[in-house]
Amino acid sequence: MKIAAFGDLIGDVLIILALTTPVLLRSTQSGDEYVQVMPKPAYISILSGQGAQDMSLVDRIVNVDSWVCGGGCYKSYPTTFRPSRSRKCQMCYCDKMCHFYRDCCPGVSLKHNVTYEEGPGVTSCVVNRAVVYKHERLEYKDYQAMVTRCPDREGGTPTLSEGDWHKCEQPDIEHPEQSKPVSSPRSGLTYRNMFCARCHNDSQSLDPWLATVTCASSAGPLISGSQTKQDLYSKLVNRTSVELTSCELKYTFPSSKDLDKSQTLDGTYKRFCKKVSPPLIDSCNASGTAGFRDPDIEQACALYESVFDGKYRNIFCFLCNEPRPYRLEELQQLVTTDSLIKVGRFDFAALLDFSGQVEGDPVEVDQCNITQFLDVATCECREVQCSEGKYLDRVGTCHSLIETNMLGYKACHKLDISANSPISEEDMDILKFSSAMVVPKYAKEHTTHVLQFCPNGVNISLYFEDMLSVYGTLEDLEERIRVVRDIYLSLANNTLGSALSSRVTITYPCLEGLKPEDQCPSNPSFSIDKSRMVGPILDNARTDIYYIKYSQTSACPFVSVSTANFTMVENGEKLLYKPTGNLLSAALVSFMDSPDTGSGSVRVCVSDYTELAKNSSCQDQQVDLDTWTVSGLISLICTVISLVCLALTFGVYSILAPLRVGGGRNIMVLTVLLFIAQALYEFGLEQFEHRDVCRALGLAIHYFWLATVFSMNACTVERFLKLCFPLKSRSFFLSERRPFMFATGYSLLCPLVIVSSNVATNITTGGGVGYGSHMMCYINSRMSRIIAFAVPMATVLLTNVVLLSVTMWTLRRRSEAIGSSGESSRNGSQGTAQTTKNSKVGLVGCARLSVVTGISWLLIFVYEALPSTALSYVITALIGLQGLVFFCSLVLNKRVLRMLRKAAESSSFSSTTSSGAAASKTTPHKKHGASNTATEQYTDSKVSKAVNEPLLRSNEGNKTVH
């Protein structure tokens, strides 16, 4: 379980003290009636966060709802964008029909004053099945908003009949025509059946929904005994038959070429919804269990309707019926994971998940705060930026830093004109002269370059550079630039009567090194010099103006995206965004480097990036994470057992000094690293509440698992050298310190190099640090998991397997050589016993060696190739219980248990002897240099034997081999 931070604990204590303060009673002016006066809450209200004093209550309500539930599309209302919503929150939309369906997002209702029609609505949320086989299998996409009621008969359709009304609002599903939904291509509406469409006078050229049958098992029971389609249909709409056959009749969206797409969300009839069962809880403390009172939350509860958790009028009605107040981070966590406990959802197979986005871990664009955007290449929230001279406010808008006459813009534009008749040099002169008219009213300086022109040609390309400055803000200058651009656009029509088309584009960066001979490729000797016009310099006018280079993203909040994510298409006119496959005009972005180099970044306005990011893998599914999963619970239980065993193993090695001889200290380092890696992964992987903390946890999880693997490799190499090359490696292992330092440095520095390289690569490519998303604190991108984790791990594990195989083969050959050489018949039995003993020692060594090599990790690669739920359970158990395997192999063996028993006996005997010596006052003190007591001799002999026994055994094996 997540351990609450000390600060949170203090906060909770203050809340409890505030809530348990005796309630004061006061008399009202109207009489002797007493009302409760709640004490002032000792907490910061969820509607009183940073900057709340500068925002209205409506703005604060909308911000909280958008942050927790999603659905910030109200900013571009009306829009056909289909927003993502957390699964506890009602599906909502920001299109022009949301008032009709009564599913507008709170921002639309509150900020744009969109109200629902008076009286009962005619729409409801309908499941797309005739009879549902199992309700728990349904998802939000199984429900569709449909027209299910006829209009008011007093002002409704004149042709409305009693039969149509009855079949629309009270259909008999035994009849297919009353059960099958239909959609209208003219209005874009979906009706429960054709009779609902008829009573709304919208029954022309309807598109019936497609009927499909799905069975959870064999379709045999459904087919058996059915002679006609009506027989099949009767079984599919009968509850008893559906339970027996496990078959369902499902209706799916039709497609229509005649559909008026302007009447729909995304050119289809899809409009998902969530089933709500009234009555709703629409007031505070309705259950009488609320432990606090917040006037702002009470007002928010009564202000709008957007059903929360299927039973509350909105999210604030839920908050004011809870026993304690929620922090914003807690509420977001509860909505996202359905619990405040963030463990037990992911298993160890997620360590090498190569899907790029961990299964069940969708990141939605609305989970990023208002000053962030979702980088769909990494599924990571990153900060929105503003151009030079501007700052970003708390609502994601850019503003000029200062109002002054010391700043200006250098704006460059390109004008392309195509005519249907030849253009003369005189026409060109007129164009150049007309363009200079922007001085002095709009620009202080204007320069015209001819990029393309041949006498009597039909195509012209001009390039303008303008220096603009005025007392005011950068926004004032941007408005002037728009006016200048309109002037350039009108030049062709006003000057050239034969112009077919003209286009003005922003040029960034401004062009340099223009050559006159490039103007007319067919006649290089022809050229037109540039023209420059400077406005008059007035008295007291500033001459030290700082000119900012104007780009396509100067006037908007923008995002910086790596150039590697784009591909130039259509002769460079458009950019293909690789993560989503969407296109964007190249004229709308600013290249911070040449687009041909493949390096640098591209600046894209947030509004344009929103279109680019549509249909990404980060937001193509609903957030629907279970708090617990079977594999997650297995992982949690196994990890707890493993951590306890690792702690016991470390304790035993700390107590028994003989175990720390040789490679024992390396085992202790490996034990500590595995303990940290497992603890961080199990209890830190899902702590995504704080962004920076999540990034740090993701980086630490990556580092310590790599360190664990490299430490396993160090232990394997050590045993390989000692067992296969005992004589050659003896000089190296004579010193205890040197092998230990080499192994520890290798285990810690190699992962540091890999992790640092991964961070540097992600930062260089514009992907942030590459760790920590909104749903998992781990490596974000698929490629990073492969290169920075899977490849090093596979290399190390394969090395371990090879070394293990060589070691086992060497020990076996050595054992056979000892057995075949033998000794004299007089000592035959002794030689056989020695051979058997050596063989056992070799097998025990191999068994221990197999533990530290981490061969079980190879199963993860098998799982990636052949995913299986059963295999994921096996992997989770094997990796999760590595601490138990360590404990059983390194502690629960005869040698260590004998040492523990002797140490315990010695400790007990020494304690008894010391007590007896203290009680006896007549016992003389031992003189300096006198021999030890019998007890001390016994203890020393035991310890000496425990220390020397493994060394003697190793020496005997070496002599035999020699």
Side-chain angles (χ1 to χ4, degrees):
M1 289 181 65
K2 177 183 175 183
I3 301 175
F6 181 73
D8 293 341
L9 180 61
I10 295 300
D12 291 339
V13 170
L14 292 175
I15 291 172
I16 294 173
L17 290 175
L19 298 181
T20 53
T21 303
V23 176
L24 303 177
L25 299 177
R26 64 176 173 83
S27 176
T28 62
Q29 296 180 355
S30 58
D32 296 331
E33 179 186 0
Y34 287 90
V35 299
Q36 293 184 346
V37 179
M38 301 294 291
K40 184 177 181 179
Y43 67 95
I44 298 177
S45 171
I46 199 170
L47 288 172
S48 304
Q50 184 178 5
Q53 64 274 10
D54 300 327
M55 302 171 62
S56 66
L57 178 61
V58 167
D59 288 333
R60 285 179 278 156
I61 292 172
V62 172
N63 283 350
V64 170
D65 187 277
S66 299
W67 173 255
V68 175
C69 291
C73 57
Y74 67 90
K75 302 168 193 173
S76 54
Y77 171 82
T79 176
T80 58
F81 173 67
R82 189 188 300 276
S84 299
R85 296 278 283 179
S86 300
R87 69 188 188 97
K88 278 184 171 290
C89 306
Q90 181 180 347
M91 297 288 294
C92 72
Y93 301 92
C94 299
D95 64 320
K96 62 182 180 181
M97 293 297 293
C98 69
H99 71 284
F100 175 78
Y101 284 100
R102 299 177 176 239
D103 57 3
C104 294
C105 289
V108 174
S109 303
L110 298 175
K111 300 278 289 182
H112 296 278
N113 298 320
V114 175
T115 58
Y116 299 149
E117 299 171 355
E118 292 295 330
V122 296
T123 62
S124 58
C125 194
V126 181
V127 67
N128 61 357
R129 286 160 171 76
V131 175
V132 179
Y133 172 51
K134 287 187 177 180
H135 285 275
E136 61 270 17
R137 294 169 55 239
L138 296 179
E139 301 177 4
Y140 74 97
K141 58 187 177 183
D142 293 313
Y143 291 90
Q144 168 77 9
M146 300 183 187
V147 177
T148 58
R149 287 181 290 275
C150 291
D152 187 356
R153 298 193 206 185
E154 295 179 0
T157 307
T159 59
L160 177 63
S161 67
E162 186 71 23
D164 289 346
W165 176 88
H166 192 275
K167 292 175 182 178
C168 171
E169 299 193 3
Q170 299 177 9
D172 183 359
I173 62 173
E174 292 286 341
H175 300 281
E177 68 273 12
Q178 298 184 39
S179 173
K180 180 183 293 188
V182 295
S183 296
S184 169
R186 180 175 62 87
S187 64
L189 299 177
T190 295
Y191 299 90
R192 175 154 57 187
N193 53 42
M194 58 180 294
F195 302 100
C196 292
R198 189 181 298 173
C199 70
H200 281 270
N201 199 22
D202 190 17
S203 58
Q204 297 295 323
S205 303
L206 296 175
D207 291 328
W209 281 38
L210 306 177
T212 58
V213 178
T214 58
C215 298
S217 57
S218 172
L222 177 66
I223 302 300
S224 177
S226 300
Q227 301 294 328
T228 64
K229 289 184 178 180
Q230 185 61 40
D231 293 338
L232 286 176
Y233 184 83
S234 298
K235 289 184 178 180
L236 292 169
V237 297
N238 181 275
R239 167 64 59 184
T240 304
S241 298
V242 167
E243 295 292 341
L244 291 175
T245 62
S246 69
C247 295
E248 292 177 316
L249 176 61
K250 179 180 178 180
Y251 296 107
T252 56
F253 302 98
S255 58
S256 174
K257 297 181 179 179
D258 301 323
L259 172 61
D260 184 358
K261 296 183 179 181
S262 64
Q263 301 293 331
T264 63
L265 279 170
D266 53 5
T268 69
Y269 292 117
K270 295 179 182 178
R271 194 180 189 92
F272 299 129
C273 58
K274 285 192 174 182
K275 188 71 173 177
V276 176
S277 300
L280 298 174
I281 298 175
D282 57 0
S283 61
C284 292
N285 200 22
S287 60
T289 60
F292 71 104
R293 183 169 179 264
D294 188 318
D296 287 344
I297 293 181
E298 290 181 1
Q299 187 175 349
C301 173
L303 202 56
Y304 71 101
E305 179 174 318
S306 181
V307 180
F308 180 79
D309 202 21
K311 56 184 178 181
Y312 296 95
R313 186 169 186 255
N314 56 46
I315 194 171
F316 298 99
C317 294
F318 160 78
L319 289 174
C320 65
N321 279 280
E322 287 293 286
R324 69 173 184 86
Y326 278 72
R327 298 194 307 274
L328 186 60
E329 295 81 6
E330 286 183 313
L331 183 59
Q332 185 188 29
Q333 175 190 335
L334 177 66
V335 170
T336 304
T337 64
D338 205 20
S339 172
L340 295 179
I341 301 175
K342 293 180 287 187
V343 293
R345 292 193 293 116
F346 296 106
D347 56 30
F348 283 103
L351 277 170
L352 287 180
D353 185 359
F354 298 153
S355 63
Q357 186 71 15
V358 178
E359 183 179 356
D361 181 22
V363 179
E364 299 182 60
V365 67
D366 291 315
Q367 289 181 339
C368 300
N369 64 41
I370 201 168
T371 61
Q372 293 178 325
F373 73 99
L374 178 66
D375 186 345
V376 297
T378 60
C379 295
E380 184 180 34
C381 287
R382 295 172 53 204
E383 297 300 322
V384 172
Q385 301 175 2
C386 292
S387 60
E388 187 179 7
K390 293 187 175 184
Y391 72 95
L392 188 71
D393 65 12
R394 62 174 62 91
V395 296
T397 305
C398 294
H399 299 281
S400 181
L401 286 169
I402 190 173
E403 182 176 342
T404 181
N405 60 351
M406 296 185 295
L407 293 178
Y409 271 129
K410 179 182 179 181
C412 300
H413 295 88
K414 182 182 176 184
L415 171 62
D416 295 304
I417 301 176
S418 294
N420 56 8
S421 61
I423 302 174
S424 65
E425 292 185 51
E426 183 181 356
D427 293 332
M428 173 59 70
D429 292 337
I430 295 175
L431 281 173
K432 291 174 60 180
F433 177 79
S434 300
S435 68
M437 291 297 100
V438 299
V439 178
K441 184 175 182 180
Y442 298 105
K444 291 184 175 293
E445 182 179 329
H446 170 82
T447 305
T448 302
H449 297 263
V450 178
L451 295 181
Q452 178 185 351
F453 173 69
C454 289
N456 298 318
V458 293
N459 295 317
I460 298 178
S461 182
L462 299 177
Y463 170 68
F464 308 119
E465 291 182 359
D466 295 293
M467 313 295 283
L468 301 95
S469 176
V470 68
Y471 185 88
T473 64
L474 292 180
E475 287 82 3
D476 297 331
L477 288 176
E478 289 159 7
E479 181 60 33
R480 287 196 166 210
I481 291 176
R482 282 190 285 270
V483 173
V484 169
R485 196 156 52 240
D486 291 338
I487 292 175
Y488 293 153
L489 191 60
S490 64
L491 286 179
N493 296 327
N494 296 337
T495 306
L496 302 175
S498 61
L500 287 177
S501 64
S502 59
R503 184 179 66 165
V504 177
T505 55
I506 300 170
T507 303
Y508 179 87
C510 294
L511 302 180
E512 296 180 359
L514 297 177
K515 299 178 180 180
E517 58 268 23
D518 295 337
Q519 295 177 10
C520 183
S522 61
N523 185 8
S525 62
F526 174 83
S527 65
I528 299 178
D529 293 334
K530 69 177 182 180
S531 61
R532 180 170 176 263
M533 180 173 287
V534 180
I537 300 177
L538 303 177
D539 294 338
N540 301 322
R542 301 194 68 98
T543 59
D544 58 347
I545 298 174
Y546 176 73
Y547 286 99
I548 301 171
K549 295 179 181 179
Y550 184 82
S551 70
Q552 294 86 340
T553 55
S554 293
C556 64
F558 66 83
V559 302
S560 184
V561 185
S562 172
T563 309
N565 290 322
F566 290 96
T567 300
M568 304 285 283
V569 296
E570 298 184 13
N571 297 322
E573 293 290 327
K574 292 188 177 181
L575 296 175
L576 174 67
Y577 190 46
K578 297 177 183 178
T580 60
N582 294 327
L583 294 175
L584 179 67
S585 173
L588 299 177
V589 305
S590 304
F591 288 95
M592 295 297 102
D593 200 347
S594 174
D596 300 327
T597 63
S599 61
S601 61
V602 178
R603 291 181 177 179
V604 185
C605 290
V606 172
S607 57
D608 294 327
Y609 184 81
T610 301
E611 297 298 319
L612 277 183
K614 285 184 178 180
N615 304 319
S616 74
S617 59
C618 299
Q619 52 181 329
D620 62 356
Q621 49 183 321
Q622 187 81 352
V623 172
D624 194 10
L625 291 176
D626 294 328
T627 305
W628 306 99
T629 62
V630 175
S631 57
L633 285 174
I634 294 174
S635 173
L636 177 62
I637 295 171
C638 293
T639 300
V640 171
I641 296 173
S642 178
L643 294 178
V644 173
C645 292
L646 288 171
L648 292 175
T649 302
F650 185 82
V652 170
Y653 270 70
S654 301
I655 294 172
L656 300 177
L659 295 180
R660 298 194 295 273
V661 176
R665 287 190 291 178
N666 291 336
I667 293 293
M668 294 181 70
V669 172
L670 173 57
T671 303
V672 171
L673 291 176
L674 182 58
F675 184 94
I676 297 174
Q678 285 194 320
L680 283 175
Y681 185 82
E682 187 60 48
F683 302 107
L685 186 68
E686 302 167 42
Q687 308 308 318
F688 45 79
E689 181 175 316
H690 300 287
R691 189 68 171 157
D692 293 333
V693 174
C694 184
R695 288 194 180 105
L697 285 172
L699 191 147
I701 290 171
H702 184 200
Y703 174 81
F704 279 103
W705 274 115
L706 283 178
T708 299
V709 174
F710 278 98
S711 183
M712 290 179 179
N713 182 247
C715 293
T716 305
V717 172
E718 177 201 356
R719 279 156 176 74
F720 169 75
L721 293 175
K722 283 187 174 181
L723 295 175
C724 294
F725 304 98
L727 297 179
K728 294 181 180 180
S729 61
R730 179 179 297 176
S731 60
F732 179 77
F733 289 106
L734 284 177
S735 171
E736 292 287 336
R737 182 180 179 83
R738 185 169 57 179
F740 174 71
M741 296 302 294
F742 267 95
T744 304
Y746 169 75
S747 303
L748 299 180
L749 292 180
C750 288
L752 182 61
V753 172
I754 295 174
V755 172
S756 301
S757 300
N758 185 51
V759 172
T761 301
N762 278 279
I763 292 176
T764 303
T765 57
V769 296
Y771 296 90
S773 67
H774 273 286
M775 300 303 296
M776 176 180 283
C777 302
Y778 189 49
I779 308 172
N780 288 336
S781 70
R782 172 181 179 270
M783 190 56 63
S784 294
R785 289 177 196 164
I786 294 176
I787 296 176
F789 192 76
V791 172
M793 174 172 285
T795 304
V796 170
L797 292 183
L798 289 176
T799 303
N800 288 349
V801 171
V802 172
L803 295 179
L804 172 62
S805 303
V806 173
T807 303
M808 294 183 67
W809 178 77
T810 301
L811 292 178
R812 181 177 179 86
R813 189 182 64 171
R814 183 182 302 168
S815 177
E816 292 174 351
I818 293 174
S820 62
S821 63
E823 292 187 12
S824 62
S825 57
R826 179 171 54 85
N827 297 323
S829 59
Q830 183 178 356
T832 303
Q834 183 64 37
T835 300
T836 304
K837 183 177 181 180
N838 288 336
S839 299
K840 290 182 178 179
V841 171
L843 290 175
V844 171
C846 289
R848 294 180 181 178
L849 188 60
S850 66
V851 171
V852 296
T853 53
I855 294 178
S856 57
W857 283 81
L858 294 176
L859 290 176
I860 294 187
F861 293 93
V862 177
Y863 174 78
E864 286 300 321
L866 301 171
S868 167
T869 302
L871 186 57
S872 71
Y873 296 159
V874 174
I875 292 171
T876 300
L878 287 177
I879 297 179
L881 291 174
Q882 281 201 1
L884 177 61
V885 179
F886 268 55
F887 182 75
C888 293
S889 176
L890 302 175
V891 176
L892 296 183
N893 58 68
K894 292 181 179 180
R895 174 173 169 258
V896 176
L897 292 177
R898 184 169 62 249
M899 294 172 67
L900 287 172
R901 185 171 60 253
K902 290 178 179 179
E905 292 174 353
S906 299
S907 176
S908 176
F909 193 82
S910 297
S911 176
T912 304
T913 305
S914 299
S915 300
S920 176
K921 297 181 180 180
T922 59
T923 302
H925 292 286
K926 182 173 61 176
K927 295 181 179 181
H928 178 71
S931 60
N932 293 335
T933 64
T935 302
E936 291 170 332
Q937 292 177 359
Y938 172 80
T939 303
D940 290 344
S941 65
K942 293 292 185 181
V943 173
S944 177
K945 183 179 180 181
V947 173
N948 294 324
E949 182 180 356
L951 298 178
L952 291 172
R953 181 184 303 166
S954 176
N955 290 335
E956 289 175 0
N958 293 339
K959 290 177 182 179
T960 304
V961 174
H962 182 71

